[in-house]
Amino acid sequence: MRIHFVGPHPDTFISGGNSYNRSLIRALEQEGCEVLLTDMPSKGLDGFSLIDSIEFAKLTPHQIPEQCISLLHHLPSLYPGPAFLFAECEKPILDSFTYHIVTSRFMVDFMISKGYSSSRIVCLEPVVKELNVQQSETTPKVNAIMLNNVIPRKGVLDFLLALAEQRLPPVYRITVVGDLEMDMQYASKCTDLVRSDKNLSRTVRFTGTQDNGSVRRLMSRSNLFISASHFETFGMSIQEASVSGVPLIVFSGGNTDRHVSEGINGHVHTTHMGMARQIERFIDHPEEFIELHKSAQKYTHDYARSWSDHAKKICQLLI
């Protein structure tokens, strides 16, 4: 079976969605599929097409092949914006697909709310990927990591502004790991704020993009994971942190809440100021932070466990 995968090359574009793509492509190949990578769909090709939603912006409905499946990692209309965005820009593209693969139950509900039949929606959550990090001995000092590209949707600036307003003593550390070049203007606002604030300049650092080995090392030195993202269709980095036993502080948006059992492996907040105040509480009440860390390391999860099962489901759709 031949599958034309339309999306960014998994080896050159670093993102959670592309990590998902790489694993799914590998599983499809192990099931005997021939997967061809391309950046544009084409009608008349032998086989089926699987199109990543990141490519929708450059497509028109007439470019979508007849035998075609969408892979919905994200839609711009999910993030606050013009009301017409879904109806005029996304729906005409989505209507052209035979099936839709989504990565969370949240996205299933979203698609159904937009009038799409559940029989045409297939939910394939990212398979849990344990980073096998060895957590440092629990200490009362907050040493947090944020693992995301520095772009507006990830809420980094909003969180930093809340921290600056709180004027917390510089007894905590936050390391922001992720691309600083995807939106350089936004990233500059974040780094400029940190540089100009006397407290943040002593507590926050940006590493830029890091390889998997470096991420594991940084995670092993961290005792708290922070996600300030306004919206996540799944939240792969949050998943990875959670199964590694790192407690979570997350902003409630999209599927983010799914990863947190409140008070057991972390806390969910509806404002970035609430997140900043949570950091303050951990500083003022270190015994609570230590207990949360111990509880998070014992927490168990019900994430998907097999990419092979996902590949088999896709193959069944194509029969």
Side-chain angles (χ1 to χ4, degrees), residues 35-301:
V35 182
L36 305 176
L37 304 180
T38 179
D39 59 358
M40 284 293 289
S42 179
K43 291 187 174 182
L45 293 176
D46 178 30
F48 296 81
S49 294
L50 181 62
I51 301 181
D52 189 321
S53 56
I54 199 172
E55 305 293 347
F56 285 4
K58 66 182 183 182
L59 299 178
T60 58
H62 77 271
Q63 292 176 292
I64 308 297
E66 289 184 6
Q67 297 177 311
C68 199
I69 300 174
S70 73
L71 177 52
L72 301 181
H73 285 304
H74 183 67
L75 292 172
S77 63
L78 292 167
Y79 186 65
F84 65 83
L85 191 58
F86 180 85
E88 296 186 14
C89 301
E90 295 169 352
K91 190 175 187 303
I93 296 291
L94 291 170
D95 288 349
S96 303
F97 290 95
T98 307
Y99 292 100
H100 302 284
I101 295 175
V102 299
T103 60
S104 67
R105 183 66 221 180
F106 171 84
M107 282 299 291
V108 173
D109 294 340
F110 172 81
M111 291 294 286
I112 291 175
S113 74
K114 295 298 185 180
Y116 293 93
S117 170
S118 60
S119 64
R120 297 294 181 180
I121 304 168
V122 181
C123 183
L124 303 179
E125 288 195 345
V127 172
V128 62
K129 182 175 74 173
E130 299 189 38
L131 294 178
N132 296 319
V133 301
Q134 295 297 317
Q135 281 289 289
S136 303
E137 183 178 351
T138 304
T139 72
K141 183 178 180 179
V142 173
N143 186 20
I145 187 171
M146 299 180 74
L147 186 57
N148 52 251
N149 294 324
V150 185
I151 55 178
R153 182 167 61 87
K154 298 300 183 178
V156 178
L157 183 60
D158 300 293
F159 177 60
L160 292 176
L161 286 168
L163 281 177
E165 187 174 337
Q166 283 295 96
R167 299 185 180 278
L168 302 181
V171 295
Y172 65 95
R173 296 290 183 272
I174 297 176
T175 302
V176 184
V177 182
D179 197 325
L180 293 165
E181 298 182 356
M182 293 181 68
D183 188 327
M184 296 181 68
Q185 184 176 9
Y186 178 81
S188 293
K189 291 180 180 179
C190 296
T191 56
D192 289 348
L193 172 62
V194 168
R195 192 179 301 112
S196 63
D197 185 279
K198 66 178 183 179
N199 287 329
L200 294 184
S201 62
R202 299 168 63 185
T203 59
V204 178
R205 73 181 182 109
F206 296 85
T207 70
T209 303
Q210 300 291 309
D211 59 30
N212 288 334
S214 297
V215 170
R216 284 194 295 272
R217 286 191 294 273
L218 289 165
M219 189 77 81
S220 69
R221 299 168 188 162
S222 305
N223 55 16
L224 181 67
F225 184 93
I226 297 173
S227 171
S229 180
H230 290 279
F231 192 91
E232 293 290 344
T233 51
F234 182 79
M236 290 181 66
S237 64
I238 307 173
Q239 177 196 53
E240 291 168 8
S242 184
V243 299
S244 298
V246 184
L248 314 170
I249 293 179
V250 303
F251 185 85
S252 179
N255 193 62
T256 304
D257 300 23
R258 156 84 165 80
H259 303 284
V260 180
S261 182
E262 183 63 34
I264 297 176
N265 74 325
H267 297 283
V268 179
H269 292 274
T270 57
T271 67
H272 290 98
M273 182 57 72
M275 296 174 64
R277 288 171 178 158
Q278 185 73 63
I279 299 290
E280 181 179 35
R281 183 166 183 84
F282 286 156
I283 294 171
D284 293 341
H285 301 275
E287 71 284 356
E288 291 185 12
F289 182 53
I290 290 176
E291 287 305 311
L292 180 66
H293 192 277
K294 291 178 179 178
S295 177
Q297 290 186 308
K298 298 176 183 178
Y299 186 68
T300 57
H301 311 267

